[in-house]
């Protein structure tokens, strides 16, 4: 119930306006968001690199409603790719297609995506594509297929919770896709997505084995210890070394696990969100874990 309320809250512009103006909420956001500026995200990436952990820079913002907003995001990503290269950081950039105008003007979105891919490729920075809600899945898969044909190192997030995902991956198999497997952060109807924890875990495990067999350089985006252990064991079964796949985690979550995995020789990458538009991201993180809501309410109460 709380979970569904928070997922709803993540999409409410009115609530967003009220919450983001609150000074304390901004402070709480800092637990999960590097800061509002690129410079702050780069500093976090450098700090993680010093601990043997890679970064994934994510400019917050999704569902832009005009092409000016999309053009701004492209400029920002080009700047981020350039800065990663200039500083010689181990970091990728992760984009949301709705941030590039996918729902406003698809042709413009394709041009925007290509600009980012060209620029990132030119400076040897890899691009990852986030997966958003199920209304965008089919189109995102099509755009990924085009992107990965030109730039095979592009990675796509794929959601284990979606019922369609095994078939989607079969369709991508000829590409030997680079995938970041995640559970899925959006509230979807039961016809579209599994809701039960054990069903989602079972599908995640099946897809983990699939990726070791048919994908390239798989990444597993999860903090779920059972699934991290499963990926480690699946790698052994598939004859892969610890550096032949990646475990990805979110900034501010399970720092103990991040460091422990890196210290044990696993390739670890942390997703570093930054930018002004942090509200939907923050509310999705709360929906995942009610304890975060308590943390948030305590901060609001000044405790
Ligand atoms: P689960 O939610 O069961 O968490 C397991 C444990 O991790 C919890 O018991 C707790 O200890 C800890 N934990 C998890 N979430 C926490 C939180 N918010 N605060 C504190 N502790 C927490 N989704 C999507 O739909 N599209 C995408 O593109 C991406 N991209 C992405 C990138 C990366 C690097 C990660 C790690 C995740 C995503 N996700 C995503 C989000 C993903 O779908 C999912 O919602 C979250 O990872 C939470 O699921 P877990 O697998 O971590 O398990």
């Amino acid at each position: 119930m709380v979970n569904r309320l928070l997922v709803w809250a993540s999409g409410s512009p009115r609530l967003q306006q009220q919450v983001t103006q609150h000074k304390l909420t901004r402070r709480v956001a800092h637990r999960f968001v590097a800061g509002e500026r690129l410079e702050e995200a780069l500093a976090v990436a450098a700090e993680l690199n010093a601990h043997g952990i890679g970064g994934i820079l994510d400019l917050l913002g999704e569902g832009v409603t005009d092409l000016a907003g999309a053009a701004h995001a492209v400029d920002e990503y080009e700047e981020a790719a350039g800065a990663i290269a200039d500083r010689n950081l181990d970091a990728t950039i992760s984009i949301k297609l709705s941030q590039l105008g996918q729902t406003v003007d698809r042709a413009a979105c394709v041009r925007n995506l290509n600009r980012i891919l060209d620029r990132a490729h030119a400076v040897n920075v890899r691009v990852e594509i986030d997966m958003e809600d199920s209304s965008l899945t089919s189109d995102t898969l099509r755009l990924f297929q085009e992107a990965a044909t030109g730039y095979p190192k592009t990675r796509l997030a794929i959601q284990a919770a979606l019922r369609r995902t095994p078939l989607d991956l079969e369709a991508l198999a000829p590409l030997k896709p680079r995938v970041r497997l995640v559970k899925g952060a959006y509230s979807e109807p039961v016809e579209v997505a599994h809701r039960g924890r054990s069903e989602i875990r079972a599908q995640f495990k099946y897809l983990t084995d699939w990726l070791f067999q048919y994908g390239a350089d798989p990444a597993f985006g999860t903090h779920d210890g059972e699934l991290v252990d499963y990926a480690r064991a699946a790698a052994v079964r598939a004859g892969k070394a610890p550096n032949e796949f990646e475990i990805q985690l979110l900034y501010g979550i399970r720092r103990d696990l991040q460091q422990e995995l890196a210290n044990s020789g696993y390739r670890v990458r942390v997703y570093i969100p930054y930018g002004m538009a942090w509200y939907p991201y923050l509310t999705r993180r709360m929906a995942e874990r009610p304890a975060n809501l308590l943390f948030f309410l305590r901060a609001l109460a000044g405790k």
Side-chain angles (χ1 to χ4, degrees):
M1 170 72 181
V2 174
N3 173 297
R4 295 184 73 73
L5 198 66
L6 281 162
V7 172
W8 166 80
S10 72
S12 162
R14 206 162 140 230
L15 209 57
Q16 165 161 357
Q17 204 195 11
Q18 286 170 4
V19 171
T20 50
Q21 281 163 6
H22 204 296
K23 233 184 181 169
L24 280 165
T25 340
R26 297 166 78 93
R27 213 182 71 204
V28 173
H30 269 276
R31 184 181 156 185
F32 300 106
V33 174
E36 291 185 345
R37 294 174 309 114
L38 170 63
E39 196 53 47
E40 293 167 283
L42 293 167
V44 169
E47 175 68 19
L48 287 164
N49 284 184
H51 288 87
I53 296 173
I56 307 169
L57 261 54
D58 164 58
L59 172 69
L60 291 165
E62 51 202 82
V64 298
T65 50
D66 59 54
L67 290 183
H72 176 71
V74 176
D75 291 344
E76 296 261 347
Y77 273 119
E78 288 192 315
E79 192 186 344
I84 289 169
D86 286 347
R87 295 174 197 209
N88 206 13
L89 292 172
D90 172 12
T92 64
I93 54 177
S94 200
I95 58 181
K96 285 190 171 55
L97 294 177
S98 74
Q99 194 177 19
L100 305 186
Q102 187 178 21
T103 57
V104 183
D105 177 341
R106 191 176 185 276
C109 173
V110 172
R111 283 195 299 277
N112 287 337
L113 174 60
N114 285 333
R115 259 182 64 192
I116 294 175
L117 289 167
D118 288 346
R119 170 73 179 145
H121 182 71
V123 294
N124 204 18
V125 169
R126 293 194 190 168
V127 176
E128 311 197 20
I129 301 176
D130 287 352
M131 187 59 85
E132 301 177 67
D133 71 72
S134 63
S135 68
L136 299 175
T137 308
S138 296
D139 195 44
T140 301
L141 288 164
R142 274 193 294 273
L143 289 171
F144 167 72
Q145 254 168 314
E146 287 165 26
T149 305
Y151 298 103
K153 292 193 170 158
T154 310
R155 191 184 287 288
L156 176 68
I158 288 278
Q159 296 159 336
L162 293 194
R163 295 181 190 276
R164 59 179 287 172
T165 292
L167 286 178
D168 287 341
L169 278 184
E170 291 295 341
L172 288 179
L175 269 181
K176 259 188 133 345
R178 271 170 202 261
V179 165
R180 172 203 307 152
L181 183 62
V182 298
K183 283 183 181 169
Y186 298 83
S187 174
E188 302 286 358
V190 72
E191 317 82 73
V192 171
H194 298 290
R195 293 249 186 90
R197 195 175 171 78
S198 58
E199 285 167 294
I200 297 173
R201 271 186 172 154
Q203 179 133 292
F204 196 111
K205 289 175 183 174
Y206 167 78
L207 297 170
T208 297
D209 287 312
W210 192 95
L211 287 173
F212 275 118
Q213 202 171 347
Y214 303 107
D217 188 22
F220 305 97
T222 183
H223 317 92
D224 186 332
E226 183 174 319
L227 295 180
V228 171
D229 287 346
Y230 189 89
R232 291 157 71 161
V236 173
R237 283 197 300 279
K240 304 284 182 194
N243 64 357
E244 288 183 275
F245 66 103
E246 200 162 273
I247 308 283
Q248 300 189 343
L249 303 102
L250 300 176
Y251 175 68
I253 300 179
R254 296 293 316 266
R255 289 188 181 157
D256 54 336
L257 182 61
Q258 296 173 10
Q259 198 58 60
E260 196 186 302
L261 288 166
N263 293 347
S264 313
Y266 290 96
R267 191 139 54 84
V268 179
R269 205 171 274 287
V270 166
Y271 188 93
I272 308 168
Y274 69 97
M276 307 290 285
W278 44 264
Y279 170 83
Y281 180 83
L282 184 69
T283 38
R284 278 202 296 277
R285 299 292 78 81
M286 298 221 195
E288 277 156 14
R289 195 160 183 252
N292 288 338
L293 185 61
L294 286 177
F295 169 78
F296 175 74
L297 293 172
R298 252 190 254 126
L300 282 183
K303 302 214 167 131

